[in-house]
Amino acid sequence: MQLTRYTDYAVRVLLHVGARDEGSLSSISEIADVYDISRNHLMKVVQDLGQAGFLTTVRGRGGGLKLGRAADEITIGQIVRHTEAGFDLVDCSSCIIAPACSLPKILNEATAAFLQVLDCYTLADVLSRRADLRGLFGGFQPLKKTIRKVTEDVVGEDVG
């Protein structure tokens, strides 16, 4: 089974936000820069994760993103179920042997087992090496510095 890019981005966003210290906020621009992902795609993912309660968005000056609930309350299975459209591994609806074939039952059982394993792990489990993740993210600058850098990139001058 291969997960969609949308799910990949959703997990990356949650990992990035979850790797921050409690009370520290992330921005879409920061996450897009770290992963080299389109800001437009991330905005859609972030909006969806916010509506689902995985993220909380703080608006206004000094705003940003934080986890909507504790990392140990978010299972990987919940994220995947939310972001994936369907889990049918094969479409048997037009197959002439479908009424007598056992393959759909086997594939459904395999999918259920896959999701059951993902339900055993939380975002906190994936974040267990938080310090290593932070290092790979290049450390975290305060959001104010990130906003200043993005503004400088857009405006083309030092706004500090």
Side-chain angles (χ1 to χ4, degrees), residues 24-145:
S24 180
L25 301 175
S26 296
S27 72
I28 291 173
S29 293
E30 172 188 299
I31 297 167
D33 288 344
V34 166
Y35 289 116
D36 194 26
I37 297 172
S38 159
R39 284 171 181 73
N40 290 336
H41 290 303
L42 281 185
M43 285 194 290
K44 294 173 189 171
V45 171
V46 165
Q47 181 181 13
D48 182 38
L49 292 173
Q51 289 174 342
F54 292 109
L55 286 177
T56 298
T57 56
V58 179
R59 299 179 72 104
R61 186 172 177 88
L65 311 169
K66 63 182 181 178
L67 291 179
R69 49 188 202 260
D72 62 356
E73 296 175 10
I74 301 172
T75 70
I76 304 304
Q78 290 169 336
I79 300 166
V80 169
R81 279 186 188 86
H82 176 74
T83 55
E84 289 294 319
F87 293 99
D88 294 335
L89 297 180
V90 66
D91 178 11
C92 298
S93 61
S94 62
C95 181
I96 61 168
I97 65 167
C101 182
S102 298
L103 186 60
K105 180 182 180 283
I106 295 167
L107 294 176
N108 287 338
E109 186 178 332
T111 301
F114 171 74
L115 292 169
Q116 184 178 11
V117 169
L118 295 180
D119 286 335
C120 293
Y121 296 94
T122 66
L123 193 58
D125 294 325
V126 182
L127 290 167
S128 64
R129 296 178 54 194
R130 192 171 269 161
D132 292 336
L133 286 170
R134 286 180 184 148
L136 293 169
F137 292 146
F140 288 117
Q141 298 178 8
L143 189 53
K144 185 184 249 182
K145 285 185 182 176

